[in-house]
Amino acid sequence: MNIILFGPPGAGKGTQAKKLVDFYGIPQISTGDILRANVREGTELGLAAKAYMDKGELVPDQVLIGIIKNRLTEADCKKGFILDGYPRTVPQADALEAILDEIDKPIDVVLNLEVPDEVLVERISGRLMCKCGASYHVTSNPPKKDNICDSCGSEIFQRVDDTAEAVQNRLDVYKKQTQPLINYYKEKVILVTLNGTKDINVVFEDIKAILAKFA
Ligand code: ADP
Ligand code: ADP
Ligand code: ZN
């Protein structure tokens, strides 16, 4: 199963991707997580990306296309994959299509999580995350033990780009550069829009019901 999880920042892509990984045993490819790992490790890529990320701007397409090409050709993607946070622009989507054509793994479905702006702002301002990629929320989705990640035991933290200012910019960038991909995919593959405001487990049930048609 080759899936794109699509939606604005804070829609719940990462949260649902983790549940899909556990359920279907296919990898999550989160470009945000890959970029943050590079920033943490101080790689050349991380140094180049950090300034864009802190401001809530998109990292240049060529950087992302390189990352995704490397990742999708790794062995664990043979059974399928869940793209989370990629593509975010038309050139990224075109590049993805070319890469997937080459390895003969077309996208089965795009799951579009729809959540209104007010809810996104509230979610992102209360988001806490772990370096393993797990994300939590101070009120709606707290970890079992204060400040400790349920899945790996590390300390959780607030992302430096989850400030009110950077969030507003990320939402503007989403509308201008990423949202047009909804029509792009409607014309090319199957795109299903889901109500992302429901409870985390209810959204997951809705996703599984859709994916059952592709398994
Ligand atoms: P969110 O969970 O808020 O949607 P992500 O973790 O997906 O954010 O991404 C964090 C930041 O990493 C983005 O604001 C952007 O700077 C960069 N980034 C992640 N994925 C991409 C991408 N596909 N194209 C360009 N920039 C990206
Ligand atoms: P994205 O990866 O799309 O940026 P996340 O999965 O990180 O989004 O979720 C953003 C925030 O909203 C996190 O704090 C997460 O715990 C919370 N969250 C995710 N899904 C839901 C939901 N269905 N209801 C309430 N809170 C949610
Ligand atoms: Zn963790």
Side-chain angles (χ1 to χ4, degrees):
M1 227 168 343
N2 308 324
I3 306 165
I4 295 179
L5 269 180
F6 191 85
K13 302 181 294 296
T15 302
Q16 297 300 329
K18 290 272 180 255
K19 297 174 83 69
L20 288 167
V21 169
D22 293 342
F23 193 78
Y24 290 104
I26 53 176
Q28 168 196 17
I29 302 178
S30 161
T31 46
D33 287 350
I34 294 171
L35 289 167
R36 277 185 293 278
N38 276 277
V39 170
R40 219 169 27 242
E41 289 154 20
T43 67
E44 206 174 313
L45 174 72
L47 292 175
K50 188 177 186 317
Y52 296 98
M53 296 171 76
D54 287 351
K55 280 186 287 190
E57 303 284 341
L58 294 183
V59 175
D61 284 337
Q62 284 317 313
V63 175
L64 268 296
I65 292 167
I67 291 175
I68 213 74
K69 187 165 190 170
N70 283 335
R71 185 64 188 89
L72 282 170
T73 46
E74 282 179 38
D76 64 340
C77 293
K78 283 217 170 72
K79 293 180 294 180
F81 51 79
I82 305 152
L83 284 172
D84 160 12
Y86 185 99
R88 272 169 143 102
T89 64
V90 171
Q92 289 184 22
D94 286 339
L96 176 67
E97 194 178 9
I99 295 164
L100 294 179
D101 272 352
E102 213 166 288
I103 57 176
D104 198 23
K105 295 198 68 56
I107 294 297
D108 291 308
V109 62
V110 179
L111 299 172
N112 174 33
L113 292 174
E114 213 170 45
V115 176
D117 282 5
E118 325 75 87
V119 179
L120 295 172
V121 170
E122 200 276 324
R123 282 189 186 177
I124 295 175
S125 45
R127 170 161 61 189
L128 294 169
M129 72 173 303
C130 178
K131 65 177 185 337
C132 79
S135 78
Y136 299 90
H137 189 275
V138 283
T139 51
S140 72
N141 183 29
K144 291 193 180 83
K145 265 196 247 163
D146 266 3
N147 294 318
I148 300 295
C149 175
D150 293 348
S151 40
C152 80
S154 302
E155 198 172 333
I156 58 175
F157 54 87
Q158 184 170 37
R159 269 168 54 174
V160 287
D161 59 340
D162 280 350
T163 59
E165 206 183 13
V167 167
Q168 194 48 56
N169 197 28
R170 299 224 295 285
L171 293 177
D172 293 344
V173 166
Y174 171 78
K175 291 203 173 99
K176 273 199 212 99
Q177 302 194 61
T178 308
Q179 195 156 260
L181 289 175
I182 294 176
N183 281 329
Y184 175 103
Y185 278 118
K186 271 187 188 162
E187 286 165 14
K188 284 180 182 272
V189 296
I190 302 171
L191 178 136
V192 185
T193 296
L194 293 114
N195 176 355
T197 63
K198 296 186 196 170
D199 219 65
I200 291 174
N201 289 315
V202 178
V203 175
F204 186 55
E205 290 304 319
D206 290 350
I207 289 176
K208 280 194 296 187
I210 293 162
L211 294 182
K213 298 176 192 153
F214 296 92

